């Protein structure tokens, strides 16, 4: 576990924890191979030079439109999205997987009576493909994606909506993500945030935002609670 500088009294506030909100990609699910294959297919179809896996991975986290937009001409964007999304449905099923220990963590938390939710910048359609295919739907009380809202993370709207829907206060909530924007969203919503260092942001970028904790793997979350 990679520690951050918070005092013990602050950590003891975890005792009133009623809700844990999870980001999806990079936190619970490793879909980077699926995303890279769909991105590469789209670029090849449009006769555009591809990008390296590392470059694509760094651009993940803001939704598929944000992923494609810098790589195509404005007039190509709608077509690029159609190509990407048509390919991505199959790519997710073939190549996405849960991070080791993710299902065990969800199961233990569910048995403890903690409410669980998903807050993702990924489009709703693809989030549901992942959740159903990976057989984790039964663990979640609510799933919300940014395409149903006016704002994407790092705006806190998605966290506010989930807390309101589940009737839980910010100081009763923990948010678990993998990127600097997740910490920014958590701070803006006044929600404690733990970051799993398995996503698109570097440790330097994450530390700059001062999350409650940085952990190396999702199964380390149980040591924080």
């Amino acid at each position: 576990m990679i520690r951050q500088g918070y005092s013990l009294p602050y950590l003891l506030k975890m005792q009133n924890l009623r809700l844990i909100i999870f980001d999806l990609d990079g936190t619970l699910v490793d879909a980077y191979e699926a995303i890279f294959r769909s991105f590469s297919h789209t670029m090849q179809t449009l006769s555009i030079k591809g990008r390296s896996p590392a470059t694509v991975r760094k651009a993940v986290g803001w939704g598929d439109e944000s992923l494609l937009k810098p790589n195509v001409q404005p007039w190509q964007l709608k077509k690029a999205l159609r190509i990407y999304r048509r390919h991505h449905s199959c790519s997710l099923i073939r190549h996405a997987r849960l991070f080791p220990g993710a299902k065990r963590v969800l199961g233990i938390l569910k048995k403890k009576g903690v409410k669980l939710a998903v807050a993702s910048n990924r489009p709703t359609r693809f989030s549901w493909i992942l959740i159903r295919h990976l057989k984790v739907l039964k663990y979640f009380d609510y799933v919300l994606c940014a395409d149903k809202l006016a704002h994407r993370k790092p705006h806190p709207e998605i966290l506010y909506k989930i807390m309101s829907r589940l009737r839980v206060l910010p100081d009763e909530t923990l948010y678990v993500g993998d990127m600097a924007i997740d910490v920014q969203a958590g701070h803006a919503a006044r929600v404690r945030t733990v970051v799993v260092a398995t996503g698109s942001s570097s440790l330097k970028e994450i530390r700059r935002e001062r999350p409650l904790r940085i952990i190396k793997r999702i199964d380390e979350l149980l040591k924080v609670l």
Side-chain angles (χ1 to χ4, degrees), residues 187-201:
H187 285 330
R190 301 183 66 82
V191 168
R192 296 159 293 184
T193 305
V194 170
V195 175
V196 192
T198 48
S200 302
S201 293

Side-chain angles (χ1 to χ4, degrees), residues 134-174:
L134 297 172
K135 296 180 172 57
V136 292
L137 176 59
K138 64 182 179 181
Y139 299 111
F140 296 113
D141 297 279
Y142 190 42
V143 175
L144 184 60
C145 300
D147 61 345
K148 300 296 185 182
L149 303 171
H151 306 283
R152 297 180 180 275
K153 293 179 288 183
H155 194 282
E157 180 184 15
I158 194 167
L159 302 183
Y160 286 141
K161 292 284 187 181
I162 292 172
M163 289 186 288
S164 175
R165 173 67 175 262
L166 298 178
R167 299 183 179 182
V168 178
L169 298 173
D171 64 1
E172 299 171 323
T173 302
L174 178 71

Side-chain angles (χ1 to χ4, degrees), residues 60-72:
V60 171
W62 289 268
D64 55 6
E65 184 171 342
S66 295
L67 173 66
L68 294 170
K69 193 173 183 178
N71 298 282
V72 300

Side-chain angles (χ1 to χ4, degrees), residues 13-205:
K13 293 181 182 179
M14 286 287 195
Q15 292 175 350
N16 67 344
L17 185 63
R18 294 181 55 217
L19 167 64
I20 300 179
I21 303 172
F22 290 93
D23 175 56
L24 199 56
D25 288 277
T27 302
L28 294 173
V29 177
D30 181 355
Y32 290 112
E33 179 68 18
I35 293 168
F36 177 70
R37 286 174 180 263
S38 295
F39 177 88
S40 297
H41 170 77
T42 304
M43 296 300 104
Q44 184 177 13
T45 302
L46 295 174
S47 300
I48 298 172
K49 183 180 178 180
R51 300 290 185 266
S52 69
T55 300
V56 174
R57 183 185 182 105
K58 188 70 177 174
V60 171
W62 289 268
D64 55 6
E65 184 171 342
S66 295
L67 173 66
L68 294 170
K69 193 173 183 178
N71 298 282
V72 300
Q73 296 297 322
W75 55 270
Q76 293 177 304
L77 182 58
K78 287 186 178 180
K79 183 177 181 180
L81 281 167
R82 286 197 301 270
I83 295 167
Y84 179 91
R85 289 171 177 172
R86 187 163 54 243
H87 184 274
H88 201 49
S89 296
C90 294
S91 189
L92 282 174
I93 291 172
R94 291 175 181 171
H95 302 292
R97 62 181 180 85
L98 289 169
F99 281 111
K103 189 173 287 189
R104 175 176 171 269
V105 168
L106 294 174
I108 289 173
L109 294 173
K110 195 69 175 176
K111 286 181 180 178
K112 288 179 178 291
V114 180
K115 294 181 180 180
L116 304 178
V118 167
S120 179
N121 274 352
R122 175 184 280 281
T124 300
R125 171 189 169 191
F126 297 118
S127 294
W128 279 106
I129 287 174
L130 278 173
I131 289 168
R132 289 187 174 117
H133 174 65
L134 297 172
K135 296 180 172 57
V136 292
L137 176 59
K138 64 182 179 181
Y139 299 111
F140 296 113
D141 297 279
Y142 190 42
V143 175
L144 184 60
C145 300
D147 61 345
K148 300 296 185 182
L149 303 171
H151 306 283
R152 297 180 180 275
K153 293 179 288 183
H155 194 282
E157 180 184 15
I158 194 167
L159 302 183
Y160 286 141
K161 292 284 187 181
I162 292 172
M163 289 186 288
S164 175
R165 173 67 175 262
L166 298 178
R167 299 183 179 182
V168 178
L169 298 173
D171 64 1
E172 299 171 323
T173 302
L174 178 71
Y175 178 44
V176 183
D178 66 284
M179 296 180 65
I181 61 170
D182 291 312
V183 189
Q184 292 164 6
H187 285 330
R190 301 183 66 82
V191 168
R192 296 159 293 184
T193 305
V194 170
V195 175
V196 192
T198 48
S200 302
S201 293
S202 68
L203 277 175
K204 182 178 180 180
E205 291 169 331

